[in-house]
Amino acid sequence: MRARYEKVFRLCVLALMLGMILFVVLQNQSQAVEEIDYQTFLQRVKAGQVSQVQLGEGAKLTAKDKAGNRFRFDNPRIETLKHSLLLQGITVTEQVIGPGSLALLAFLLTVGGLAVWGKVRQGVRAPVGKSVMESEKTVPTTRFEQVAANEEAMESLRDLVSFIRSPEKYSRYGARIPRGVLLYGPPGTGKTLMARALAGEAGVPFFAVNGADFVEMYVGVGASRVRTLFAKARKAGSAVIFIDEIDAIGKKRDNTSDEREQTLNALLSEMSGFREQEGIIVMAATNRIDTLDEALLRAGRFDRQIEVPLPGYEERVKILQVHAQGKPIDEGVSLPALAAQTALFSGARLESMLNEAAIIAAKRNAQSITREDIDHAYDVMLCGMDRRSGFGLERERELTAAHEAGHALTTFFLLPDSHIRKVSIVPSSKGAAGYSMAIQPEKMFHSKQELLHHIAVALAGRAAEEILYGSDMVSTGAANDLEKAAALSRRMVCEWGMLPDGDGLYLFNQAKRDEAAQQWLQLGYELAKKVLLGYRAAWNRLTLLLLARDAVSEEEVKACLAQEARYS
Ligand code: ADP
Ligand code: ZN
């Protein structure tokens, strides 16, 4: 991140230098227009041809005639020139900086720029420099309607708007207003966007910084930057402070870095120092909540945590709709179909896919962005994703991974006594696309609840497909699962007299039996979806792990999922 700022900074210096040079060159060029002597100039004035004269300190003065042509003449250096020109009705402007001083200025700026550039290159920044970090402190124009996120996250954000706008309303009731909100999830899922939209909706300034900005070589600089930042926010009254990549300062303490420790302490003490009436919210983003120091997550600090996982099917439709706005998308393009094709794409990836398609269409000077443009852009995106196989096959792998991860995840949470031995997406010779192998404990009896959980686990693969791809796109891959779930529900009703709605004994009525079995299936399916959605980030992680590795062991599944259990 720091590297990125340096790059931006270097570019700015470079652009400034180029700009100055260009300016001087242009200046000279414009002066390379018609050269006339002072006599001729006076004649033109007399003839009423001159419309404008620019006075200055240089050897030459420039002027414009009524036709807009520019010309230069010798500077007579007389005090009364302006007076006489004005009397003729000629517009007179005065050049504050002569060409000479302009060149000097360019020279100084270049030298200065080079000096600073050199320093930055050495990785040494002026100790109290606050150039980069507080760059953004205006009220953003971003609104919630530009964010397509899950309902829970949006609900939390809406609450926060009300906290920022009227903190006194809550303090009157003795409520402790959340000060710190942690957004966690994979990169490109809209965390920055949400923070900015929060400030935009609340109508307060937005201060964006990066965690890495606080970690400096000089001890004490990070801490002082934190204090400066908060002082500025306080001055604004209400504000949203956004700290991206907070892990740079908020990593678990390991006693290796005094500087980070000091910075973290400064942050924590600033956050404890908020007064009740202040409408300041600190938002921080990370994609690794597990690495954060527990001190950050305690009450009164980042005690609100909003999970921002990869978008599911419905959210992808929304994101595509948001970014399709203002783009002439052809009628033949179906955004829902596109959403179904883009499982595991982040919001940022979807946005850049549409953008890429727009560029392709623009290059062809097309009327609108067509399916082909989008397909083309999709391929470009996939290349960037390091795919190993072709498009169709890759999609099947993704679907299988999400499906199998669904079985494994539900097993982990619903059947804690079972051992997940292995999860794989390597196609088997028997035609299965993948499998999730679990060993059940030896038991004489099973409870009604446990059996329902078994149904849910069996249906989790299908539920996963529906969540990720939409109900129209579920695959035939769940045939065995459905058979298993149906058989189990039937036995529950027919053999063990278990009915979903309370107690029942043996049912003689065939229609009633079917209905009860059907209800069990429905309940199991709902439960599976609830678990998948409830642990969405863990499910995404396991899916990605499977895609990367083809097969994962019990320990790996546990490591991948256990972290979630701790934070949920
Ligand atoms: P993060 O901070 O999580 O890495 P960003 O907020 O920087 O992600 O997302 C980058 C861009 O991707 C956004 O500016 C937006 O254009 C697009 N984007 C990402 N997520 C969403 C979303 N949920 N809704 C709409 N656009 C999104
Ligand atoms: Zn399955």
Side-chain angles (χ1 to χ4, degrees):
M1 260 314 147
R2 175 125 138 245
R4 202 205 279 172
Y5 281 131
E6 275 178 26
K7 224 167 157 181
V8 169
F9 185 71
R10 267 190 245 169
L11 278 176
C12 286
V13 172
L14 205 64
L16 193 66
M17 281 160 45
L18 282 176
M20 288 310 295
I21 292 169
L22 200 70
F23 186 63
V24 171
V25 168
L26 280 179
Q27 187 83 7
N28 282 331
Q29 233 178 20
S30 64
Q31 282 159 0
V33 290
E34 190 188 7
E35 290 265 3
I36 54 171
D37 56 22
Y38 189 52
Q39 300 289 342
T40 322
F41 170 66
L42 290 179
Q43 279 162 17
R44 288 191 187 176
V45 170
K46 233 185 224 162
Q49 293 168 347
V50 179
S51 73
Q52 198 183 332
V53 175
Q54 188 173 37
L55 298 179
E57 296 297 315
K60 301 270 180 186
L61 295 180
T62 50
K64 228 195 239 171
D65 65 18
K66 291 203 166 138
N69 302 314
R70 314 191 72 186
F71 52 88
R72 276 160 40 112
F73 58 94
D74 275 321
N75 188 351
R77 299 193 197 278
I78 43 166
E79 297 289 325
T80 51
L81 181 61
K82 184 169 180 180
H83 174 73
S84 27
L85 291 175
L86 287 173
L87 285 180
Q88 304 277 333
I90 294 171
T91 314
V92 179
T93 59
E94 297 210 41
Q95 197 178 7
V96 187
I97 309 169
S101 41
L102 203 69
L104 187 69
L105 186 69
F107 176 73
L108 285 179
L109 273 175
T110 310
V111 171
L114 279 173
V116 177
W117 187 2
K119 273 207 158 175
V120 171
R121 278 169 72 101
Q122 285 164 26
V124 183
R125 255 191 275 167
V128 225
K130 37 190 115 142
S131 49
V132 220
M133 42 181 273
E134 287 137 39
S135 50
E136 240 183 302
K137 53 191 157 216
T138 44
V139 180
T141 52
T142 317
R143 292 289 177 274
F144 282 159
E145 63 199 33
Q146 282 153 269
V147 188
N150 59 59
E151 202 32 54
E152 279 164 86
M154 294 316 290
E155 189 61 45
S156 304
L157 290 177
R158 278 191 284 269
D159 283 353
L160 291 171
V161 171
S162 142
F163 287 142
I164 297 175
R165 282 209 186 130
S166 34
E168 64 292 339
K169 175 167 135 194
Y170 296 89
S171 60
R172 205 180 328 129
Y173 289 92
R176 189 167 46 75
I177 295 174
R179 293 306 187 182
V181 182
L182 188 72
L183 301 168
Y184 67 101
T189 44
K191 298 183 288 296
T192 312
L193 183 72
M194 286 178 186
R196 185 173 285 126
L198 172 64
E201 289 280 343
V204 301
F206 182 62
F207 294 81
V209 297
N210 191 289
D213 285 340
F214 293 105
V215 189
E216 284 290 328
M217 296 170 80
Y218 297 110
V219 174
V221 172
S224 106
R225 283 194 174 162
V226 169
R227 285 189 288 267
T228 315
L229 172 64
F230 278 77
K232 292 212 166 182
R234 284 214 173 86
K235 221 162 135 197
S238 303
V240 172
I241 297 177
F242 178 65
I243 308 175
D244 202 1
E245 301 186 22
I246 186 142
D247 17 330
I249 25 174
K251 259 185 276 180
K252 291 201 169 82
R253 285 176 228 217
D254 50 7
N255 296 324
T256 55
S257 164
D258 262 3
E259 168 56 359
R260 219 188 49 218
E261 177 104 25
Q262 282 196 17
T263 310
L264 180 56
N265 287 338
L267 178 65
L268 294 179
S269 84
E270 287 293 337
M271 290 185 67
S272 336
F274 280 136
R275 265 165 283 129
E276 291 299 306
Q277 264 74 12
E278 280 170 334
I280 297 179
I281 298 272
V282 186
M283 285 202 136
T286 179
N287 35 41
R288 339 203 20 204
I289 193 173
D290 55 309
T291 62
L292 291 184
D293 194 315
E294 258 101 67
L296 270 175
L297 306 175
R298 269 192 225 127
R301 292 161 181 179
F302 291 98
D303 50 0
R304 274 246 169 154
Q305 288 143 28
I306 303 180
E307 188 183 16
V308 192
L310 287 173
Y313 168 75
E314 301 289 341
E315 287 136 32
R316 286 198 306 275
V317 175
K318 266 195 271 172
I319 294 175
L320 287 169
Q321 281 165 351
V322 166
H323 293 289
Q325 262 166 36
K327 294 192 176 70
I329 305 241
D330 194 79
E331 278 170 17
V333 174
S334 153
L335 294 182
L338 194 55
Q341 265 183 38
T342 44
L344 305 176
F345 271 47
S346 68
R349 190 149 241 148
L350 292 170
E351 192 272 337
S352 65
M353 181 177 73
L354 285 187
N355 190 52
E356 186 72 36
I359 290 175
I360 295 171
K363 273 196 198 151
R364 318 187 275 120
N365 295 319
Q367 286 278 333
S368 57
I369 303 170
T370 62
R371 261 205 69 120
E372 286 71 42
D373 296 329
I374 291 180
D375 283 349
H376 194 152
Y378 181 87
D379 289 345
V380 172
M381 296 308 296
L382 287 191
C383 290
M385 283 174 91
D386 187 24
R387 296 300 166 122
R388 274 175 286 179
S389 44
F391 154 44
L393 290 175
E394 192 52 41
R395 266 206 65 205
E396 284 196 350
R397 266 190 91 230
E398 265 170 19
L399 184 135
T400 309
H403 178 118
E404 297 306 333
H407 285 309
L409 181 102
T410 44
T411 306
F412 184 85
F413 287 109
L414 293 176
L415 302 173
D417 296 338
S418 300
H419 288 289
I420 301 162
R421 295 305 292 271
K422 194 175 176 187
V423 189
S424 160
I425 55 166
V426 181
S428 76
S429 49
K430 287 188 205 123
Y435 60 89
S436 171
M437 193 163 81
I439 310 283
Q440 316 297 343
E442 298 274 341
K443 271 198 199 172
M444 294 266 269
F445 304 111
H446 296 279
S447 71
K448 187 160 133 178
Q449 188 202 45
E450 197 187 337
L451 292 167
L452 172 65
H453 288 189
H454 274 281
I455 295 180
V457 168
L459 295 178
R462 165 57 68 88
E465 292 180 25
E466 188 193 319
I467 292 171
L468 272 180
Y469 300 91
S471 54
D472 288 346
M473 301 298 290
V474 295
S475 77
T476 54
N480 284 334
D481 296 342
L482 295 183
E483 214 171 278
K484 206 156 90 190
L488 187 53
S489 67
R490 194 156 288 282
R491 286 186 76 192
M492 285 172 78
V493 177
C494 303
E495 286 181 31
W496 305 315
M498 295 171 172
L499 303 181
D501 43 6
D503 303 323
L505 283 174
Y506 204 77
L507 282 180
F508 292 101
N509 181 318
Q510 184 63 41
K512 284 227 164 95
R513 281 178 170 187
D514 288 348
E515 190 192 316
Q518 181 69 49
Q519 279 170 355
W520 277 124
L521 282 181
Q522 204 52 44
L523 285 173
Y525 193 59
E526 296 306 327
L527 180 59
K529 283 208 274 195
K530 201 171 127 198
V531 173
L532 291 173
L533 289 172
Y535 295 99
R536 184 147 204 178
W539 172 37
N540 283 337
R541 256 202 314 278
L542 186 56
T543 307
L544 293 170
L545 187 68
L546 271 170
L547 282 169
R549 303 267 293 281
D550 287 332
V552 291
S553 67
E554 174 165 18
E555 283 71 38
E556 289 168 319
V557 173
K558 274 195 183 149
C560 192
L561 302 182
Q563 158 188 339
E564 213 57 31
R566 239 186 308 136
Y567 288 106
S568 308

